[in-house]
Amino acid sequence: QVQVVESGGGLVMAGGSLRLSCVASGRTFGNYAWGWFRQAPGKEREFVAGIDWSGSRTSYAEFVKGRFTISRDNAKNTVYLQMNTLQSEDTAEYLCAADRNGVIIRTTPAAYSYWGQGTQVTVSS
């Protein structure tokens, strides 16, 4: 079992930045692909960004390209999401998740096996 804990959310003005962190337990962290998802009230959970097991390949949703960056530090069992130029539409709960398939970056929530509780990001305009 993998325990996942997100942090770094908060309230920020439009145009500002936040860096989310996702720390996972377990020795298999380095084998998994990781994804960040978000969910706003009344909306479905949507893919934001993903990274493969090695960190060499990443994938982004169109609406965050050029603004968000996903990275990982396998030595620290941590995945990051750097969010710049935040907009009010980015307001949501952000969740980190692990995919036991470490090679392909998948965008559907059902593909991911382990989830954190989420961290709230609120962008005020």
Side-chain angles (χ1 to χ4, degrees):
Q1 189 70 12
V2 176
Q3 305 296 321
V4 180
V5 179
E6 303 96 334
S7 63
L11 174 64
V12 64
M13 296 285 289
S17 299
L18 283 174
R19 187 174 83 154
L20 306 183
S21 297
C22 168
V23 179
S25 65
R27 293 175 294 175
T28 52
F29 174 91
N31 296 338
Y32 299 156
W34 287 84
W36 282 98
F37 291 77
R38 71 186 188 186
Q39 189 163 18
K43 295 188 176 180
E44 292 190 352
R45 188 167 296 182
E46 61 182 357
F47 174 80
V48 175
I51 190 165
D52 75 346
W53 72 275
S54 69
S56 62
R57 291 189 300 116
T58 58
S59 177
Y60 296 93
E62 233 10 84
F63 52 78
V64 303
K65 278 184 180 177
R67 299 190 299 125
F68 292 11
T69 303
I70 189 171
S71 61
R72 65 188 294 163
D73 185 339
N74 286 350
K76 295 182 178 180
N77 280 17
T78 303
V79 180
Y80 303 99
L81 185 68
Q82 177 67 44
M83 306 187 295
N84 298 328
T85 319
L86 283 160
Q87 306 163 356
S88 57
E89 306 86 77
D90 296 316
T91 294
E93 183 176 56
Y94 284 71
L95 303 103
C96 179
D99 182 355
R100 287 178 290 186
N101 155 58
V103 178
I104 302 171
I105 300 170
R106 298 191 281 190
T107 61
T108 55
Y112 289 75
S113 300
Y114 306 108
W115 291 83
Q117 294 298 310
T119 184
Q120 178 67 34
V121 172
T122 303
V123 184
S124 64
S125 56

